[in-house]
Amino acid sequence: MGTMQLESVPEPKYLHLKTVLSEALDQDFAVGEILPNERELAARFGVARATLRQALEQLELEGRLQRRRGVGTTVAPPRVGVDVGGAQHSWPGESVDGWEPVDAAEEAVLSPALLKLLGTAPGEMVLAVRRSRVENGQVLAAELLYVPASSVPGLSAIDAPAGPARARAVMRELQKLVLDGQDRSVELGSARPEDAKELDRLPGAPVLLVTTRYFTVAGTAAVSVATYRADTCRLTFGDSGDVQITHDARVAS
Amino acid sequence: MGTMQLESVPEPKYLHLKTVLSEALDQDFAVGEILPNERELAARFGVARATLRQALEQLELEGRLQRRRGVGTTVAPPRVGVDVGGAQHSWPGESVDGWEPVDAAEEAVLSPALLKLLGTAPGEMVLAVRRSRVENGQVLAAELLYVPASSVPGLSAIDAPAGPARARAVMRELQKLVLDGQDRSVELGSARPEDAKELDRLPGAPVLLVTTRYFTVAGTAAVSVATYRADTCRLTFGDSGDVQITHDARVAS
DNA sequence: AAGTGGTCTAGACCACGTA
DNA sequence: ACGTGGTCTAGACCACTTA
């Protein structure tokens, strides 16, 4: 074979480990199955635990593994396709899609970026409605829906007690508005401790931040910031929720 | 002050470090400014370098920092808002939006998931068009556009030499088709070494995978898998047509 | 109490960009 | 040649779940 170039740039161990594990997951493991613990895996592959963890972290990021402290590492099911709505000009939760009201309260401090999105002056009253998106008993997303008091006339009349009831009342008022349109953006973020708890993840876990602006003819009526678990969710736009698109949709060159 | 509960569950060091750094970034640093190197920062905060890196990693994930081997760590500009199209029924690249053809070639091996998306039988010829999305001299995304030969009649007549010319020729044929619709999904992934190189990132870097299916009345005409840099990109969906979010929409609670 | 993953340390060496 | 971030090691202890 002569001087076959092995690798001018040797692949890092954790990357090689990742592909080895990935293939093993496809061949030798079923969904939900528990992997050997990290110390044993590290020993079996002859690497330090930290190196093994680097591989596991990426596999978890890609939704192939699920790790829970005190329990173990399991093979994750394919990602859930979560519809985040196409061009439907409607408030989410009008149809049955898993949004559960949690609470509603006046929000005192708003980030400058959010104020700009809302188009409100600092100091103007803004209501924050908390909702959770639940599917199959799993919390997929936590949402904060910011509603300037000025955009909903009937808001001051609400006297429901704190908790889901009040959130529902605000949503009812909101849904009376005729929507003119919406725009959305998606970006990567890390879960704040608050959201992390609700999503059953550790703080800093990767999340998909979906920011939606709702318009009426009068202008911005509300802004929603939804925090989706990045490990388990695939956001879908349109009507192809049934089709599976997983990591291996890409050609393994 | 009595018995003020400090923290029943003490915050991990790297999280505290992250918030401290985050505040420092807002107050004491300008976009593009170079931070002290990791060894010095770690010493300054009295932690091990690995712990400091854990904090830096999350800040980079959130698009606040940019780290380059051999260079240093700099303060990142706000994320770019990248339009990935609303419900417009058009091929991307028809208007001027930064897509640059790279190459086109027959793709031999296709993953089962991709075959299912395309709706083609294994063995059927599928062309793969490579494109890059470039903005301000920066590669934001790498795309693979899979086109079954059956969906484009004029495909076999193409005899352009390999490279951008051939890719352009395929795109021209494709754009003759009348689109009936499309659906899209977004999920988190990690960059394959191949894409990583094109995106000027390390392998495994977090990316946003945008999978789009293009329909004609005859069925699925093509499937695009676009790999966006998650650190620098905020994907926008302009459902309301005219409106563009041009500023930083990040919500830092 | 035992076992799991999560955090943290204090080193070492490597790959890369720049001067 | 030097300084940077990236990889890797071999430990230790902690937080959490389950039995």
Side-chain angles (χ1 to χ4, degrees), chain B residues 68-203:
Chain B
R68 273 174 307 171
R69 165 149 57 177
V71 180
T73 302
T74 57
V75 180
R79 283 199 174 121
V80 191
V82 183
D83 188 25
V84 290
Q88 327 142 349
H89 295 173
S90 66
W91 298 97
E94 289 197 336
S95 33
V96 185
D97 59 358
W99 283 112
E100 291 184 359
V102 173
D103 198 2
E106 187 178 351
E107 190 71 38
V109 278
L110 296 176
S111 74
L114 194 51
L115 282 175
K116 193 176 174 187
L117 265 182
L118 283 166
T120 61
E124 195 176 333
M125 178 174 165
V126 175
L127 214 64
V129 183
R130 277 204 160 279
R131 300 195 300 175
S132 294
R133 185 162 183 170
V134 183
E135 215 152 276
N136 295 107
Q138 249 240 331
V139 180
L140 299 181
E143 184 203 37
L144 270 175
L145 184 63
Y146 297 98
V147 187
S150 57
S151 65
V152 183
L155 214 60
S156 53
I158 292 178
D159 60 349
R166 184 186 286 170
R168 241 184 300 270
V170 177
M171 289 308 295
R172 263 195 303 274
E173 286 303 315
L174 215 47
Q175 285 163 8
K176 288 178 184 169
L177 297 181
V178 178
L179 277 185
D180 198 44
Q182 61 190 30
D183 59 31
R184 216 186 310 266
S185 78
V186 176
E187 62 184 316
L188 180 60
S190 50
R192 294 170 302 164
E194 191 183 355
D195 296 322
K197 195 183 168 191
E198 189 160 358
L199 296 175
D200 190 29
R201 300 266 67 196
L202 292 171

Side-chain angles (χ1 to χ4, degrees), chain A residues 18 62 79 86 113 182-188 190 192 204 213 235-237 240 243 245 248-249 251, chain B residues 18 62 79 109 111 114 117 146 183-188 190 192 213 235 237 239-240 243 250 253:
Chain A
K18 184 184 150 191
E62 294 173 18
R79 284 201 175 119
Q182 62 192 31
D183 59 29
R184 218 186 309 266
S185 77
V186 176
E187 62 185 314
L188 180 59
S190 49
R192 296 170 301 164
R213 207 152 45 139
L235 308 181
T236 65
F237 302 80
S240 68
V243 186
I245 308 170
D248 53 1
V251 178
Chain B
K18 185 184 151 194
E62 294 173 19
R79 283 199 174 121
V109 278
S111 74
L114 194 51
L117 265 182
Y146 297 98
D183 59 31
R184 216 186 310 266
S185 78
V186 176
E187 62 184 316
L188 180 60
S190 50
R192 294 170 302 164
R213 208 153 44 138
L235 308 180
F237 302 79
D239 289 344
S240 60
V243 186
R250 242 178 321 155
S253 148

Side-chain angles (χ1 to χ4, degrees), chain A residues 22-202:
Chain A
S22 184
E23 285 163 7
L25 288 182
D26 290 334
Q27 295 164 15
D28 309 333
F29 288 89
V31 167
E33 203 172 338
I34 310 174
L35 266 63
N37 70 53
E38 296 184 349
R39 287 159 181 90
E40 173 165 350
L41 278 178
R44 189 178 300 183
F45 287 106
V47 299
R49 196 178 150 216
T51 304
L52 173 81
R53 279 179 60 82
Q54 212 171 341
L56 294 184
E57 257 150 41
Q58 285 203 9
L59 288 170
E60 190 180 27
L61 195 83
E62 294 173 18
R64 312 269 328 258
L65 291 179
Q66 185 157 0
R67 299 193 289 170
R68 273 173 306 170
R69 165 149 57 176
V71 180
T73 303
T74 58
V75 180
R79 284 201 175 119
V80 192
V82 183
D83 187 25
V84 290
Q88 329 142 347
H89 294 173
S90 66
W91 299 99
E94 288 196 339
S95 33
V96 186
D97 59 356
W99 282 112
E100 291 185 358
V102 174
D103 199 1
E106 187 176 351
E107 190 71 36
V109 278
L110 295 175
S111 75
L114 194 52
L115 281 174
K116 198 171 174 186
L117 265 182
L118 283 165
T120 60
E124 193 175 336
M125 179 176 166
V126 174
L127 214 63
V129 182
R130 278 202 160 281
R131 299 195 301 174
S132 294
R133 185 163 184 169
V134 183
E135 216 153 275
N136 295 108
Q138 250 239 331
V139 181
L140 298 180
E143 184 203 38
L144 270 174
L145 183 63
Y146 297 96
V147 187
S150 56
S151 64
V152 183
L155 214 60
S156 52
I158 292 179
D159 60 350
R166 184 186 286 169
R168 241 184 300 269
V170 176
M171 289 307 296
R172 263 197 302 274
E173 286 302 315
L174 216 47
Q175 286 162 6
K176 289 179 184 168
L177 296 181
V178 178
L179 277 184
D180 199 43
Q182 62 192 31
D183 59 29
R184 218 186 309 266
S185 77
V186 176
E187 62 185 314
L188 180 59
S190 49
R192 296 170 301 164
E194 191 182 354
D195 295 322
K197 195 183 166 192
E198 190 159 357
L199 296 175
D200 191 28
R201 301 264 66 196
L202 290 171

